Amino acid sequence: MEKHDGRDTGEARFDDPWYDALASGWGELDGTGAPAPAVPSARLEREGRTGGTADVYLEVQRSAAFQEVRSRYRRFVVPGVAVFFTWYVGYVVTATTAPGFMARPVAGAVNVAMVAGLGQFLTTFLFTWAYARHARLRRDRAALDLRWDTQELTRSVRGGER
């Protein structure tokens, strides 16, 4: 029986476009295998140099496609958070200021507080499902297209720097 130390000796190549290019720019290599220094884009522009992949990410962030993905995200999340937070705070405020109302029986030993408390769980799952559905139908395709375009731009910039 062979003993392994847990490390894979072979090189693995992932098809994920983000495997080699981190969005934050941290951990990128300078071509020699050493980590590339993090230099702000404004400083690079003053020195007359380009920022390489950093400029690609800034360009993508300013693009209409990226702004549309972010806008779709905000149009769902902001109202969703407002509704859920209002519902949660309403439950807590009602439970503390109107204990008589919350103690009112609904069916047998089940009172208004129990129904509202279970409603909190139900709405949590409902909002989670709605968020996942919205992401799948309205944002995932556009975000994936943007991701692949960004990776192609990053590869072309890296190819030009060598």
Side-chain angles (χ1 to χ4, degrees):
M1 187 158 134
E2 294 182 37
K3 184 176 180 182
H4 295 284
D5 63 356
R7 286 182 277 168
D8 186 11
T9 57
E11 287 286 323
R13 181 74 183 151
F14 295 100
D15 289 334
D16 184 0
W18 291 104
Y19 181 73
D20 290 332
L22 301 174
S24 66
W26 292 11
E28 293 185 4
L29 304 180
D30 65 359
T32 64
V39 181
S41 295
R43 183 175 144 208
L44 290 172
E45 288 174 7
R46 280 195 312 267
E47 295 173 0
R49 298 183 301 168
T50 62
T53 56
D55 287 339
V56 169
Y57 291 112
L58 290 173
E59 180 183 334
V60 168
Q61 185 179 9
R62 293 181 192 119
S63 72
F66 181 83
Q67 295 304 321
E68 179 61 25
V69 169
R70 294 295 297 164
S71 176
R72 289 178 185 178
Y73 170 78
R74 286 187 199 108
R75 281 194 304 255
F76 180 84
V77 169
V78 170
V81 167
V83 167
F84 188 78
F85 187 72
T86 301
W87 161 231
Y88 175 74
V89 170
Y91 172 74
V92 172
V93 168
T94 305
T96 56
T97 59
F101 171 72
M102 295 299 264
R104 184 173 294 158
V106 174
V110 178
N111 60 19
V112 172
M114 288 181 178
V115 171
L118 291 174
Q120 292 285 317
F121 284 104
L122 179 64
T123 55
T124 299
F125 291 116
L126 180 67
F127 275 120
T128 302
W129 170 81
Y131 176 82
R133 183 175 188 275
H134 180 268
R136 182 174 34 87
L137 296 177
R138 304 247 196 279
R139 291 192 327 267
D140 286 353
R141 176 56 51 198
L144 187 59
D145 290 343
L146 189 60
R147 180 178 175 179
W148 283 103
D149 292 345
T150 304
Q151 182 60 30
E152 290 303 315
L153 287 171
T154 304
R155 285 185 182 153
S156 67
V157 167
R158 284 187 180 165
E161 290 177 348
R162 290 184 185 181

